[in-house]
Amino acid sequence: MILFPAIDLKDGQCVRLKLGDMDQATVYNTDPAAQAKTFEDQGFEWLHVVDLNGAFAGHTVNGEAVDAILKATDNPVQLGGGIRSLGHIEAWLTRGLARVILGTVAVRDPALVIEACKEFPGQIAVGIDAKGGKVAVEGWAEASELGVIELAKKFEGAGVAAIVYTDIDRDGILTGINWASTLELADAVSIPVIASGGLASLDDIRRMLEPDAAKLEGAITGRALYDGRIDPTEALALIKAARQAEKDKP
């Protein structure tokens, strides 16, 4: 089980949005690279990065900030936001990303995602962002008619490393992860699922460590971490203890 700290990039700064609204952005750090190093020093093992401007623009906008992050941390980094071609995927993986997250293109061109999984095994994740149970695209600005599970099943057997599932209706407002829909998705597909949107407290971490959530790869934490609602040491200690208990099972 992995707890992924999030760095959302807007205009080169580390921000958090409320309900995916670019006009409701809180700046938490003007130096994303320093923030990445802080997360590594706190003991986190992965980093989740989103180019928010890129998600809306359809191409990388915060590339310099991402490059600086990659130089600042030894942790593996996954990046989403505006990555929509095989060339773009290859360029980012060459620059040091552990994996890329494909969102809008997964809806618009699922064949490209399947091809990317063949070209770059283990390095392609799919981002599924849902509003009212339907998949949203273009930086959450547009709703599609696709259901979450319907989209996820398109990639069964393709080699997708993980699905990052975000409930937009909960993102950035600290109401807790939508465990019902997250676990429903995880039960419906064999692809590992990463929960995102609304993680609010250590209670969510504890919930993530319950037996029925063991199928998840982990969860993403953003605002709760920045606001101090989640203490990194406590959260990571809970996860470490759960891992040890699993190892100690006869």
Side-chain angles (χ1 to χ4, degrees), residues 98-150:
R99 63 189 179 198
V100 299
I101 304 167
L102 305 178
T104 294
V105 75
V107 176
R108 306 277 197 233
D109 189 1
L112 185 144
V113 177
I114 294 168
E115 179 65 22
C117 289
K118 292 177 184 175
E119 292 281 334
F120 313 105
Q123 294 183 289
I124 305 299
V126 168
I128 299 182
D129 307 322
K131 191 171 182 62
K134 297 294 184 181
V135 178
V137 295
E138 306 293 346
W140 301 353
E142 295 179 23
S144 75
E145 291 303 310
L146 269 178
V148 171
I149 292 173
E150 180 186 1

Side-chain angles (χ1 to χ4, degrees), residues 161-173:
I163 290 173
V164 180
Y165 172 63
T166 304
D167 184 339
I168 300 170
D169 295 319
R170 296 190 181 217
D171 191 67
I173 59 172

